[in-house]
Amino acid sequence: MTAERVQGKRQFGHRARLALTPAQVRLIDDQAHASRAMWNLLHDWWTMLPKDKRTLAAADAAIRQARKEIDWLAVLPAQAAQAVLKTYFRAWKNCWDGHADEPNFKTRFRSVMSVDVPQGRDLQITRVHRRWGMVNIPKVGRVRFRWSKDLPVGRHADKDNRITGARLVKDALGWHIALRVTTLEDKPEPHAGPEIGIDMGITVPMALSDGNTKVHTAWLTDKEQAKLLELEQRAARRKGFRKRGERISNRLQRTYDQIASLRARAKRRATDWQHQTTTEIARTYSVIVVEDLAITNMTKSAKGTMENPGTNVAQKAGLNRSIRGEAWGRTVTLLTYKTARLGGALHKVPAPGTSQRCSTCGFTTPGSREAQAVFVCKNEGCGWSGNADHNAARNILHLYRMGLALVPAAGRAVVRHPRGVKPTTVR
């Protein structure tokens, strides 16, 4: 007899591109603007009321009354309006607990346009083609979306495997739907693969301790990079004619939209490369060891203050852009949940000294990297030389095998540090 498999519940999100008609785009745009306006009106109402009258019931009644009296707020579905209220109250709760700053007004151009669909039964998702599916959006109708992942719909859906809700999100490439999915899956058996250490960098994005590397080309082609440069120069010229405080012209806004579209395309390609690379690594290796990098501190500006101005500010700014462009934190996040799903584990080790230690003799000294990619041991009895990135990756794996690993990322307790002063006037 075979042993029964242990099952566990898994919650994840899936993002798909919507194929909208111009009329449907206008309808969803109106809902998104109404959702943002609802947030701003709610924030204004909440902060002006006396403290003893700020309750969820009063806020709910105010939202219902506003949707009855104001036509352009009524285009937002009732459940989406309730989702705005819940999100707003949760934002205040995070502020009271010291996890975030106070909620504020949402601006028209700097806030992400989005609409919530809280209940999955309203979506009525069906698959009509190998590459396309249909979803029902409240007050919009049936909409096609790109089918790129098997979803628990129709006869495959039950109380343990279903879509619980969604959010419509607009970016530079158009409207997308982000589905919230809950499934019941078998817990994986322990992974039988080898251990690996990974050194993350800029010139070589991922260097593995077994000598392999994971590299990528530029996210934009030469033609696309030339087009981006031309658009940025055009935007700079047109911006020079705009007076301070004057509204952005339609020409300049179209140029900004084209720039955002190219940058979004580059980001999408980068994310796709990260997903494919991390999936391959998680399937191959059982234990993955990375450095515990303080990326926020590494990307701080070097401009300094008026009294103590910084040096090499432009060079440091370029380095910061390169570090953020490689998105090391997102790579670690992807590896964390993918290794857990496949029965492996991800560990972090302290970062100091990994690039200066010789992985052959253990001798550590500054200046061992004679070039960006060359490591030369200064120990007279060793003298080993080789690739600096692979040397650092072997040191990372060595720290784990010596028992110096930190708590595994999947089980680490998150410590919240308060930001600012806890508000005392709003409750």
Side-chain angles (χ1 to χ4, degrees), residues 200 290-301 316 319-320 323-324 327-330 332 348-352 354 406 412:
M200 298 184 187
V290 297
E291 293 175 296
D292 188 20
L293 298 173
I295 302 175
T296 303
N297 296 335
M298 296 173 63
T299 56
K300 284 185 177 180
S301 174
K316 184 61 169 64
L319 177 62
N320 293 345
I323 293 175
R324 288 192 292 264
W328 297 336
R330 185 169 60 202
V332 174
K348 293 183 179 181
V349 296
T354 55
L406 304 175
R412 176 178 297 181

Side-chain angles (χ1 to χ4, degrees), residues 346-394:
L346 182 135
H347 297 270
K348 293 183 179 181
V349 296
T354 55
S355 61
Q356 299 176 351
R357 177 185 180 274
C358 177
S359 59
T360 302
C361 67
F363 189 74
T364 302
T365 181
S368 299
R369 298 185 69 156
E370 295 189 351
Q372 176 62 29
V374 179
F375 181 92
V376 179
C377 182
K378 300 300 182 180
N379 186 5
E380 296 181 358
C382 178
W384 178 85
S385 63
N387 185 277
D389 297 319
H390 295 309
N391 176 75
R394 287 192 288 269

Side-chain angles (χ1 to χ4, degrees), residues 90 119 218 412:
R90 189 183 306 116
Q119 297 186 3
R412 176 178 297 181

Side-chain angles (χ1 to χ4, degrees), residues 87-104:
T87 305
Y88 180 78
F89 187 76
R90 189 183 306 116
W92 271 118
K93 189 175 184 304
N94 292 335
C95 177
W96 296 333
D97 294 339
H99 298 168
D101 292 334
E102 294 184 10
N104 208 336

Side-chain angles (χ1 to χ4, degrees), residues 223-276:
K223 186 176 180 180
E224 290 170 338
Q225 291 178 1
K227 180 65 175 178
L228 179 60
L229 179 60
E230 178 188 351
L231 291 171
E232 290 175 341
Q233 293 173 345
R234 183 186 306 171
R237 288 195 302 269
R238 290 176 176 173
K239 186 178 179 181
F241 293 99
R242 186 169 67 94
K243 297 180 181 179
R244 184 178 181 87
E246 186 180 1
R247 183 180 177 273
I248 296 177
S249 65
N250 292 333
R251 282 186 176 182
L252 182 56
Q253 187 59 51
R254 282 195 297 269
T255 305
Y256 283 154
D257 292 341
Q258 290 175 301
I259 293 173
S261 177
L262 281 174
R263 290 177 177 172
R265 188 182 305 174
K267 182 179 178 180
R268 183 178 58 179
R269 291 171 181 171
T271 306
D272 179 67
W273 179 85
Q274 281 185 313
H275 272 287
Q276 294 190 34

